[in-house]
Amino acid sequence: MSKKFDGWMPRLRKTSAPGALPFYQQIANAIADDITTGRLMPEQRLPAQRRLAAGLGIDFTTVARAYVEAQRRGLVDSTVGRGTFVCGKRRPAIPRAVEGRPNIDLSMNMPPEPASPELAQLMQDGYAEVGAHLRDLLRYQDFCGSRADREAGALWLRRRGLVVPEERVLVTPGAQCALLAVLGAIAPAGSVVCCEELTYPGLRALAGQLGLKLVGLPMDGEGIDAVAFAAACAQYAPKALYCNPTLLNPTTAVMSAQRRQALVEVARFHGVAIIEDDAYGFLPRSGPPPLASMGPDITFYIAGLAKCVGAGLRVAFLVAPDAHSTARLTAAIRATTTMVSPITAALATRWIRDGTADLMLAAIRKECAVRHKIALRALPDATVDATPDSFHLWLRLPAPWGRRQFAETMAAAGVAVVASDAFAVGAPGMAPEAVRVCVGGMADRYQIQHALELMGQALRHPPPCVAHGV
């Protein structure tokens, strides 16, 4: 034990005698005992995991597992960026907004972060393996991923029922880069691209940069109306249809297989390319197949890892419909981003091949289901569109709430959400009275519950001065 360690320190029984408890259980028990005796006080911060591990002379993952066990027992709360705090008889208070800045950010659509120490160790092992080949990875590589990266991409896409040759799988630095390459290759400035009337804000940003006109199509509970798409094809002669058919950002709508087939038939009849953004397609355990499996000859398929593995893993797989399109997209990617980071691509390849990516996806699915239940308990049933497969939900605001007033009220309470204006395509002011809420990201369950309960209270008891629709 280090003599310089001056924080809380559990007393461990380091013995291999039969019946001896593992170290992680001893640490969790010590936390419980010291709370009871007053050695640990409510809201007291525990030592950082690595620091405590060094002080005890044991492995970091053992301490991490101990803290997870203590949190499971309700003894402590852990928050990324803040640390681990003793609960004692009451939960640690969540600080209010500082200088108008929300401290619980439910605006960025990121998956929940898995808390398993074993999974964290697997991730670290993969990272260390990649680091062992760092010299090679610091050189320029193939513009759209090495052969191994493309093979891993093709393997990953099989989980969505897509069987494609590795030659048509392009590895890109994120879905936004893939979308930029596709739009740049098939939609000249001034042309029309159809999309959902509530769509991904990144598409709106790219359309503005490229000089494209977006035409938002009416939607129902499944997403884009196929009849409306056919009418738009006849009126505007669009170059492409962009769609997010599974767990639509922002409304969580999922297209049925029949609707997908209808859209493919309309697109093929009118000679319109389909850009399928399947960002959330891997989250449901089962669901309709991708449009790319129904219309492989007209569909540009994008599957990023940001929403199903981790937002910081800037890797996406882009499938082109034919060899000619593959060559055009390769040139577009080379011109705009040169290549995907070889280090990041190698890490994604490692995690896909050794099963870490599957375990991360499973952990995200499990946590999404837990947070879905929290949302249903906290929010009025009639206001929320949500699914256990998704880490975002769509909150429809009842009168007298307006979307901007609700977002501002939540921000003042320390919670950031996104008003519907960010997603709306069409005339300004036509956005519905709704907000998108992300229940993933760095926020833990307690923060999520706290934020959603604040929203539920606001929805059930709106202030009399709120003006609807402003």
Side-chain angles (χ1 to χ4, degrees):
M1 184 183 302
S2 172
K3 295 181 179 179
K4 295 182 180 180
F5 193 93
D6 58 356
W8 172 81
M9 180 73 69
R11 303 176 182 88
L12 301 184
R13 184 187 179 195
K14 296 188 176 182
T15 176
S16 57
L21 290 176
F23 288 161
Y24 83 92
Q25 290 187 7
Q26 292 188 46
I27 295 172
N29 289 346
I31 293 173
D33 292 340
D34 287 351
I35 289 173
T36 301
T37 62
R39 186 173 175 227
L40 285 174
M41 302 300 293
E43 300 190 24
Q44 180 176 336
R45 183 171 185 170
L46 293 181
Q49 295 174 12
R50 291 190 183 279
R51 186 163 179 261
L52 183 59
L56 291 170
I58 61 177
D59 188 71
F60 158 74
T61 57
T62 300
V63 176
R65 188 176 182 185
Y67 278 23
V68 170
E69 172 64 17
Q71 186 168 13
R72 185 189 68 79
R73 299 185 195 179
L75 302 172
V76 301
D77 264 307
S78 295
T79 303
V80 176
R82 292 186 61 234
T84 301
F85 295 81
V86 174
C87 293
K89 295 183 179 179
R90 57 191 178 93
R91 309 285 288 189
I94 295 178
R96 310 296 287 172
V98 177
E99 297 179 358
R101 296 192 300 273
N103 66 285
I104 304 179
D105 188 356
L106 306 187
S107 65
M108 294 298 294
N109 218 24
M110 299 186 293
E113 298 179 351
S116 165
E118 291 82 4
L119 181 52
Q121 186 61 54
L122 284 175
M123 294 163 64
Q124 291 283 356
D125 291 345
Y127 195 78
E129 175 65 24
V130 169
H133 305 279
L134 194 58
R135 178 177 295 181
D136 293 339
L137 295 174
L138 288 176
R139 304 185 183 116
Y140 280 107
Q141 310 286 329
D142 293 338
F143 296 118
C144 292
S146 68
R147 183 180 183 87
D149 297 334
R150 291 187 177 203
E151 289 176 348
L155 178 64
W156 183 252
L157 297 181
R158 285 177 178 268
R159 292 157 173 78
R160 283 289 286 133
L162 283 180
V163 180
V164 294
E166 66 191 53
E167 294 79 12
R168 280 180 36 222
V169 178
L170 308 181
V171 188
T172 70
Q176 189 75 354
C177 168
L179 183 55
L180 171 63
V182 175
L183 290 173
I186 69 174
S191 58
V192 170
V193 173
C194 291
C195 61
E196 299 97 343
E197 60 184 351
L198 294 170
T199 194
Y200 167 51
L203 174 66
R204 296 180 58 194
L206 285 178
Q209 289 286 328
L210 299 174
L212 304 176
K213 179 183 178 182
L214 294 183
V215 173
L217 301 177
M219 303 187 304
D220 57 19
E222 292 189 19
I224 294 172
D225 182 291
V227 174
F229 175 43
C233 288
Q235 181 177 356
Y236 299 105
K239 291 294 184 181
L241 168 69
Y242 168 90
C243 60
N244 176 200
T246 301
L247 298 175
L248 171 64
N249 178 16
T251 69
T252 74
V254 177
M255 280 188 195
S256 66
Q258 294 77 10
R259 178 68 59 84
R260 296 173 192 234
Q261 187 63 51
L263 290 177
V264 168
E265 292 173 1
V266 171
R268 183 175 283 121
F269 180 81
H270 289 277
V272 177
I274 295 175
I275 305 172
E276 181 176 12
D277 187 349
D278 206 25
Y280 307 92
F282 288 77
L283 293 177
R285 291 168 177 79
S286 62
L291 281 80
S293 65
M294 302 175 177
D297 55 317
I298 60 172
T299 303
F300 294 83
Y301 177 82
I302 302 171
L305 298 180
K307 309 303 183 183
C308 56
V309 177
L313 192 66
R314 304 306 302 160
V315 172
F317 303 115
L318 169 59
V319 180
D322 51 47
H324 176 67
S325 299
T326 301
R328 292 181 66 189
L329 291 174
T330 300
I333 292 169
R334 179 179 181 181
T336 54
T337 59
T338 305
M339 64 180 180
V340 64
S341 164
I343 298 172
T344 307
L347 182 60
T349 295
R350 164 77 186 207
W351 281 349
I352 289 171
R353 290 201 171 279
D354 71 8
T356 300
D358 288 306
L359 292 174
M360 294 172 74
L361 175 58
I364 290 169
R365 286 170 171 168
K366 183 177 180 180
E367 187 63 21
C368 282
V370 171
R371 299 187 180 203
H372 174 73
K373 292 180 180 178
I374 293 173
L376 294 187
R377 288 195 300 265
L379 300 170
D381 292 342
T383 64
V384 61
D385 294 330
T387 166
D389 298 321
S390 177
F391 48 79
H392 69 272
L393 56 88
W394 187 237
L395 197 57
R396 291 173 281 104
L397 303 175
W401 278 112
R403 59 194 182 277
R404 295 169 190 166
Q405 286 78 9
F406 186 83
E408 290 169 359
T409 300
M410 289 298 101
V415 181
V417 298
V418 183
S420 59
D421 303 81
F423 312 96
V425 178
M430 297 300 292
E433 302 301 341
V435 297
R436 189 197 68 187
V437 180
C438 174
V439 293
M442 292 178 11
D444 59 29
R445 292 181 187 177
Y446 176 58
Q447 289 178 310
I448 293 294
Q449 180 176 333
H450 173 79
L452 293 176
E453 286 176 350
L454 284 176
M455 293 181 205
Q457 292 169 11
L459 292 173
R460 294 182 179 96
H461 307 287
C465 59
V466 168
H468 181 61
V470 177

